[in-house]
Amino acid sequence: MQKRMRMRSQVTRYIRNHLEEDGYWDIETPMLTKATPEGARDYLVPSRTHQGSFFALPQSPQLFKQLLMMSGMDRYYQIVRCFRDEDLRADRQPEFTQIDVETTFMDENDVMIAMEEMIRDVMKDVEFKVFSGPANDPDGHEVITAIIEKAGVKTGDILFFGAGETNTVNESLGALRVKLGIDMGMVSDNWEPLWVVNFPMFEKNSQGDWTALHHPFTAPSVDSIEAFKADP
């Protein structure tokens, strides 16, 4: 545990040094604030001087850092504590620390380049180990033939496919792909971060209605509302 705490301290120091040298300002934002429309419930703190009123602990410094951008402080960062009142899960914590960054006049590629440089700088100096029914259908044989032709498989190849609900099939085949990759020695054990871009915003639910796949307050990457309606 001491080694882990030591590494966390080293990582924090390297991140601060890198961002400071790149022109970012470390600015503290308020912990006692008002409730904001984030993705979870707020922790509330009762006010002593205003009976019946409450402060909220921030889920993120979102509003404050946007105000900083408007105020001319165009490169902000903070290694900040955030609070979200939600059930404890493997990927959810009631309180957590995040590297919070905001800039102005940078596009998507600029942001990715800046963060990649930061990660490379940290990893260069800190020792990181690997974070240390269709087949049974009467027409099923025609379906299989079409799959074989589309995939271009040859004698001796093995073709895996699934049938069922789209999400269930995707998750099952994804787990199988990972399992095969590990068993066949095709998965690298190096720590190799990557960017996920153009994440789908919407999907159709079991009733055929469009629902948000991620948080619904992200602007779509489309040229016009007509294009968005044509291909959600």
Side-chain angles (χ1 to χ4, degrees):
M1 182 59 70
Q2 287 182 341
K3 290 180 180 178
R4 290 171 179 163
M5 297 298 290
R6 175 62 177 165
M7 188 181 79
R8 179 186 173 115
S9 176
Q10 291 175 324
V11 169
T12 300
R13 184 174 74 251
Y14 278 106
I15 289 172
R16 288 188 186 280
N17 289 342
H18 176 90
L19 291 175
E20 293 282 348
E21 291 175 0
D22 205 21
Y24 289 83
W25 292 15
D26 180 9
I27 304 176
E28 288 187 336
T29 51
M31 283 286 113
L32 296 176
T33 180
K34 65 181 296 182
T36 56
E38 299 282 355
R41 291 179 295 274
D42 295 304
Y43 279 109
L44 300 179
V45 179
S47 170
R48 178 184 61 83
T49 54
H50 299 279
Q51 295 296 320
S53 297
F54 297 82
F55 295 104
L57 298 182
Q59 296 186 37
S60 80
Q62 187 74 34
L63 295 180
F64 298 115
K65 64 185 181 182
Q66 289 171 345
L67 288 171
L68 289 170
M69 296 302 102
M70 295 168 60
S71 303
M73 301 175 188
D74 61 341
R75 290 200 173 194
Y76 143 93
Y77 85 94
Q78 189 178 187
I79 298 177
V80 61
R81 205 70 169 169
C82 298
F83 306 88
R84 296 189 177 186
D85 185 8
E86 56 186 0
D87 299 334
L88 187 63
R89 281 174 275 171
D91 62 345
R92 298 292 177 92
Q93 298 290 328
E95 55 176 314
F96 56 93
T97 302
Q98 69 183 29
I99 305 170
D100 200 72
V101 176
E102 187 84 4
T103 68
T104 53
F105 309 114
M106 292 179 72
D107 62 22
E108 182 180 61
N109 287 330
D110 292 331
V111 172
M112 289 192 288
I113 290 171
M115 294 300 101
E116 286 172 6
E117 289 176 349
M118 180 186 73
I119 292 172
R120 280 198 300 269
D121 194 23
V122 172
M123 290 188 161
K124 180 178 63 178
D125 297 310
V126 180
E127 182 183 359
F128 271 85
K129 300 188 175 170
V130 180
F131 268 170
S132 304
N136 295 321
D137 188 270
D139 298 323
H141 295 299
E142 294 181 10
V143 172
I144 292 173
T145 300
I147 292 174
I148 290 174
E149 291 177 353
K150 185 173 183 63
V153 295
K154 304 180 295 295
T155 300
D157 291 341
I158 299 177
L159 179 65
F160 295 93
F161 66 93
E165 292 289 334
T166 301
N167 289 343
T168 302
V169 171
N170 288 345
E171 292 176 3
S172 300
L173 290 181
L176 176 61
R177 179 173 58 181
V178 172
K179 170 67 174 170
L180 291 173
I182 293 173
D183 289 350
M184 298 179 68
M186 300 171 66
V187 177
S188 168
D189 62 355
N190 295 323
W191 174 234
E192 298 176 353
L194 55 82
W195 291 98
V196 177
V197 297
N198 298 325
F199 189 85
M201 291 195 66
F202 297 93
E203 67 176 352
K204 284 189 176 179
N205 59 22
S206 57
Q207 287 77 41
D209 300 321
W210 288 105
T211 58
L213 193 60
H214 195 35
H215 53 68
F217 48 80
T218 300
S221 300
V222 292
D223 297 328
S224 66
I225 192 63
E226 288 75 19
F228 176 71
K229 289 180 179 179
D231 185 16

